[in-house]
Amino acid sequence: MFTSFFLLAIIAVLYYFDAKRDILIQANMKMQQVVSQLRQNPNIHPKGFDIYIDKAQKYHFPAFTITDKHIEYVACANKFFPNKVFVVKTSADFIKNEQKKILYKIAFMYILLFFPFLLVSYFLAKYAIKPAKEAYSAIYGFTQDIIHDMKTPVTTISLNSELLQCSNQKSLKRLNIAVDTLKALYQNLEQFMLFQKSFHPQKFNLKKLVDSRIEYLHSMNQNANFFVDIPLKLELYTDKMMFTRILDNLLINAMKYSTPTIDIKIMYENGKLSIENPGEPIKNPQKLFERHYREALYVPGFGLGMNIVKKLLDKLEINLYFFAKKNATKISLEIEHLQK
């Protein structure tokens, strides 16, 4: 559409200047014809023109001049008027009227040609992006299949690793690391697919959602302590699944980067949902949303979670703020606009 508009605009501008030049040429030729008639009969009075006979030394001639109000043509007179010139004048409205006619003509032709151009451009673009669209659909479907098939073995491995608590601790530790890696991959894939889905807002209770996520996170680390201060009746209206993914990522990060005594505060204050954990404050908050960035390499993960969080925040139109304390990090989500 933009290409069609741009090309037609260039053609219209070029045509306008070309037609404007033709108008001036025609006006010049017509006034030359009037001068030729005057040389044969100085007493004629052509309609639409003012005729003067003046001293030749006052002018540089032949000369064709255009002002805002007049068009003027000066040429030497005939032998009966030595050292004289004919001055032919007419109103500049003639040129202005002709230019208006050209603009109307261009506007009409532009509208007439724009829609066929647009139609052709649409079908050409649709034909050109068809292979890319098919490839995207194939990748999207393939990713969904991977997520679905990955969930079963991850769950199976996780459950069986719990049954091996009395076996070789070194092997069990390696197994647990592998399980955590698979879980992280699964969650990142799931969140990626979630980001591709349409926005489906619904009303839900924030306190109940937070409590359910804490219960889930306790199954991952029973040493974590959560202190919740959220009004019982506070409800939000947004995409619940996307908001849950944001919450999960922020809480998991708070657990990962916390001190050995994992005491995490979750509170609602002044229209913001805040998560605070003890530990070293964030070193590079400006890099936190970059893909593959991790504050500490010893912390498990791939550095994708916060990048996905940023995309989900943008989609839900939620602002995120960092507050670095001496021995803690506080992250706040501005959610006042989601309360309905």
Side-chain angles (χ1 to χ4, degrees):
M1 181 176 176
F2 176 77
T3 304
S4 301
F5 178 84
F6 184 69
L7 288 174
L8 287 174
I10 291 175
I11 294 170
V13 170
L14 292 175
Y15 175 79
Y16 173 75
F17 283 107
D18 190 56
K20 186 177 178 181
R21 187 179 66 250
D22 288 344
I23 292 171
L24 297 178
I25 291 171
Q26 290 175 15
N28 192 346
M29 290 178 63
K30 191 167 184 67
M31 297 181 91
Q32 286 183 28
Q33 290 174 1
V34 171
V35 169
S36 297
Q37 293 171 7
L38 287 170
R39 285 171 179 161
Q40 295 175 15
N41 182 5
N43 296 317
I44 64 170
H45 296 283
K47 186 178 179 181
F49 294 94
D50 296 323
I51 310 298
Y52 304 94
I53 299 174
D54 206 349
K55 294 179 181 179
Q57 59 265 30
K58 292 172 61 178
Y59 299 90
H60 295 285
F61 57 90
F64 180 70
T65 309
I66 301 173
T67 66
D68 290 338
K69 295 183 178 180
H70 297 98
I71 307 170
E72 182 181 271
Y73 182 73
V74 180
C76 61
N78 58 17
K79 60 183 179 180
F80 300 106
F81 298 94
N83 298 319
K84 300 285 184 177
V85 291
F86 289 131
V87 180
V88 181
K89 280 188 177 183
T90 187
S91 172
D93 290 342
F94 164 75
I95 290 180
K96 292 177 182 177
N97 291 335
E98 290 299 314
Q99 288 176 347
K100 283 182 181 178
K101 289 179 183 178
I102 293 170
L103 289 173
Y104 292 146
K105 184 178 179 181
I106 288 173
F108 174 76
M109 294 301 295
Y110 190 90
I111 293 170
L112 194 66
L113 291 173
F114 179 74
F115 290 103
F117 263 72
L118 183 62
L119 197 62
V120 171
S121 300
Y122 170 76
F123 283 110
L124 286 175
K126 188 175 181 181
Y127 178 78
I129 66 173
K130 186 179 179 181
K133 191 175 180 181
E134 290 175 350
Y136 172 78
S137 298
I139 293 171
Y140 188 84
F142 179 66
T143 308
Q144 280 186 318
D145 293 340
I146 288 177
I147 290 174
H148 181 268
D149 293 340
M150 189 184 287
K151 190 170 185 178
T152 301
V154 166
T155 304
T156 303
I157 294 171
S158 181
L159 290 172
N160 281 277
S161 66
E162 293 177 9
L163 300 175
L164 296 174
Q165 295 297 327
C166 297
S167 65
N168 186 293
Q169 292 298 315
K170 191 173 182 180
S171 299
L172 182 60
K173 186 177 180 181
R174 290 173 183 169
L175 181 60
N176 285 329
I177 291 171
V179 170
D180 290 339
T181 303
L182 281 172
K183 280 182 178 178
L185 284 171
Y186 170 77
Q187 288 170 352
N188 286 327
L189 277 172
E190 190 177 34
Q191 288 165 0
F192 172 77
M193 297 306 296
L194 176 68
F195 182 69
Q196 306 304 314
K197 71 186 278 289
S198 301
F199 179 74
H200 295 296
Q202 65 183 98
K203 186 179 283 189
F204 58 91
N205 184 279
L206 180 60
K207 177 70 164 55
K208 288 182 180 179
L209 177 65
V210 171
D211 288 343
S212 69
R213 302 326 296 165
I214 289 174
E215 187 177 350
Y216 163 72
L217 294 172
H218 260 306
S219 66
M220 297 173 59
N221 189 338
Q222 295 182 355
N223 294 322
N225 299 308
F226 296 91
F227 303 93
V228 181
D229 184 10
I230 298 174
L232 292 173
K233 296 183 178 181
L234 180 60
E235 291 189 330
L236 303 183
Y237 183 77
T238 188
D239 190 300
K240 184 178 180 181
M241 193 173 292
M242 292 185 185
F243 190 85
T244 302
R245 288 291 172 264
I246 293 170
L247 193 60
D248 281 357
N249 264 293
L250 295 179
L251 290 174
I252 290 170
N253 274 1
M255 291 167 63
K256 284 181 180 179
Y257 290 94
S258 186
T259 57
T261 55
I262 306 173
D263 295 328
I264 298 171
K265 297 177 183 178
I266 307 168
M267 65 204 83
Y268 176 83
E269 51 187 359
N270 301 322
K272 295 182 178 66
L273 178 66
S274 300
I275 299 171
E276 183 178 327
N277 66 281
E280 291 186 15
I282 296 173
K283 301 172 187 174
N284 299 300
Q286 73 280 3
K287 292 185 177 181
L288 204 60
F289 293 128
E290 292 180 7
R291 285 173 62 83
H292 305 298
Y293 174 76
R294 288 188 290 164
E295 284 278 301
L297 297 179
Y298 61 83
V299 176
F302 299 93
L304 298 175
M306 289 304 290
N307 181 260
I308 293 171
V309 164
K310 181 64 170 71
K311 292 177 181 178
L312 293 172
L313 289 172
D314 291 343
K315 201 154 190 174
L316 300 186
E317 298 180 351
I318 298 174
N319 293 323
L320 183 146
Y321 303 95
F322 297 102
F323 300 95
K325 297 186 176 182
K326 185 177 181 181
N327 294 309
T329 295
K330 182 179 177 181
I331 293 179
S332 295
L333 302 177
E334 195 169 36
I335 58 171
E336 190 171 12
H337 65 291
L338 303 179
Q339 298 172 41
K340 291 188 179 181

